[in-house]
Amino acid sequence: MASTGLAVRRIGVLTSGGDAPGMNAAIRAAVRTAQCIGIECIGIRHGYAGLIRGDFVPLSEKDVKGLTKMGGTMLYSARSQEFMTDEGRQRATDTCKYMGIDGLITIGGDGTFKGALGLADRGIKVIGIPCTIDNDIGCSSYTIGFDTACNTAIEAVDRLSDTMQSHERCSVVEVMGHRTGYLALNVGIATGATIVLIPEIKYDFERDVVSRIRTARLAGRTHFMVIVAEGMDPVHVVAENIQNATGVDTRVTALGHVQRGGPPLMRDRVTATSMGYTAVMLLARGQGGRIVAMDGDKVIDIDIHEALAMTKDFDHELYKMFTTLTFLDSKEADIGEPE
């Protein structure tokens, strides 16, 4: 049933930056919530580039039917160099006003939110939804897409482990994570990896790689798994150095964008749905300039200026737990200094 006294009558929804499993679920939740309370919903295709040029499509319940289980984004995603300029952001603002868009929901990561801030400062009511497989948004304890991406990588690493064991090899696997190691560390823990190399922890190759492999061999292990976060040393170089130093036949796998695709898992479907619903309800009450976020299991909202100023502390205890479980004594388990 439609509500009365709504602060907005027409809202736009866009996705920006790298796609992540759960984006479609957030779109669906926003559209269905808006329709339920009497707000018109407009889809903006190709992110901020589409906002500038008016690439709009009306969205109703029929358009988003069954969308929760679909990966990717039905609205497409793109990065816009023009939108990074003051002129581009003003054009986007003018388009919103011309089309009668009273509020805007932007789904993406830090870059998406910085763009949203530019619109918020120009008077557009904007709500951001954190959706990135990197899980590196400072204001939110969890971001949509992280769990699905982790599980996709875990399945691939498990399969690689089978063949590495068959041939007594070392596998060096590159996983995604834009200058962050949250995904790599969690995948390493879940798969029982021998070594994890992440940007947050300085490492010494001889001590933290070669020595660990040798220790694992002495403990009876015949195959080894090294997880490397993208943005670290090139995985082919890491693999070559391992083989030269240990004599173990070493192979490289870069999982790449396969981690972004596929149907979202339960956590991402539910989180995305909760965030999409919350974003619309904030706009319906006349609130803008907010980021919807997770505080543990609770959905909250934070002022966009405050949210962008927040940073996420790396979980060094989680990393210490990992090192403790990889054939190291308690003294050696303390290795690794924060970057």
Side-chain angles (χ1 to χ4, degrees):
M1 180 181 296
S3 300
T4 59
L6 296 170
V8 298
R9 291 296 179 182
R10 175 182 291 174
I11 64 173
V13 182
L14 66 80
T15 54
S16 178
D19 62 300
M23 276 186 166
N24 275 329
I27 295 169
R28 173 185 176 273
V31 171
R32 289 179 64 92
T33 302
Q35 185 169 340
C36 181
I37 63 177
I39 297 175
E40 183 182 357
C41 195
I42 302 295
I44 302 165
R45 294 180 290 203
H46 303 103
Y48 290 119
L51 181 59
I52 290 174
R53 63 175 181 259
D55 189 358
F56 297 164
V57 57
L59 293 177
S60 68
E61 184 275 335
K62 292 182 179 179
D63 299 306
V64 297
K65 186 176 181 180
L67 210 57
T68 301
K69 61 186 177 183
M70 295 177 61
T73 164
M74 67 166 291
L75 294 175
Y76 311 109
S77 187
R79 292 181 170 87
S80 172
Q81 292 297 322
E82 183 180 2
F83 188 75
M84 295 180 182
T85 67
D86 288 337
E87 294 79 6
R89 291 180 181 182
Q90 188 58 52
R91 284 189 61 189
T93 301
D94 293 341
T95 302
C96 285
K97 292 178 179 178
Y98 178 76
M99 295 298 296
I101 293 177
D102 305 313
L104 190 65
I105 297 174
T106 62
I107 306 170
D110 266 331
T112 301
F113 297 159
K114 289 174 183 176
L117 177 60
L119 296 176
D121 288 342
R122 287 171 170 79
I124 303 296
K125 290 184 175 66
V126 184
I127 304 295
I129 294 179
C131 189
T132 168
I133 68 169
D134 299 339
N135 199 29
D136 62 347
I137 303 299
C139 66
S140 189
S141 59
Y142 183 80
T143 61
I144 299 165
F146 179 69
D147 182 55
T148 303
C150 278
N151 278 280
T152 299
I154 288 167
E155 181 180 359
V157 171
D158 285 347
R159 291 176 181 273
L160 284 169
S161 293
D162 290 343
T163 188
M164 292 301 108
Q165 182 177 22
S166 298
H167 297 277
E168 298 187 337
R169 288 172 176 160
C170 175
S171 182
V172 178
V173 181
E174 182 187 75
V175 300
M176 298 184 83
H178 187 53
R179 298 188 297 274
T180 60
Y182 302 109
L183 196 154
L185 178 57
N186 280 270
V187 169
I189 291 171
T191 58
T194 316
I195 298 158
V196 170
L197 302 180
I198 51 179
E200 292 85 355
I201 302 293
K202 296 178 181 178
Y203 79 96
D204 175 84
F205 181 76
E206 180 63 32
R207 179 193 64 190
D208 301 334
V209 179
V210 175
S211 178
R212 290 195 197 188
I213 290 175
R214 288 172 178 163
T215 301
R217 292 179 79 176
L218 289 173
R221 184 175 293 194
T222 58
H223 65 287
F224 314 95
M225 184 63 64
V226 180
I227 308 296
V228 181
E230 66 176 354
M232 297 291 290
D233 297 333
V235 285
H236 290 84
V237 173
V238 173
E240 182 179 354
N241 290 339
I242 288 173
Q243 184 158 329
N244 290 339
T246 66
V248 178
D249 186 17
T250 305
R251 303 298 173 91
V252 171
T253 303
L255 296 183
H257 286 83
V258 69
Q259 296 159 93
R260 291 193 186 278
L265 297 179
M266 183 276 292
R267 184 175 186 183
D268 289 324
R269 297 186 191 196
V270 174
T271 302
T273 300
S274 298
M275 287 186 170
Y277 166 82
T278 300
V280 173
M281 298 308 293
L282 287 170
L283 289 173
R285 294 194 294 267
Q287 295 181 261
R290 312 291 294 178
I291 302 295
V292 178
M294 296 300 297
D295 181 8
D297 293 329
K298 184 179 179 182
V299 179
I300 61 172
D301 60 278
I302 305 170
D303 175 81
I304 191 169
H305 297 85
E306 179 184 347
L308 283 171
M310 298 172 70
T311 58
K312 179 173 284 188
D313 293 330
F314 184 74
D315 192 341
H316 288 279
E317 284 300 314
L318 193 65
Y319 180 79
K320 184 177 180 179
M321 180 191 75
F322 169 76
T323 60
T324 301
L325 299 176
T326 52
F327 302 99
L328 302 174
D329 62 34
S330 59
K331 181 178 180 181
E332 290 174 314
D334 290 330
I335 65 172
E337 296 296 329
E339 285 285 6

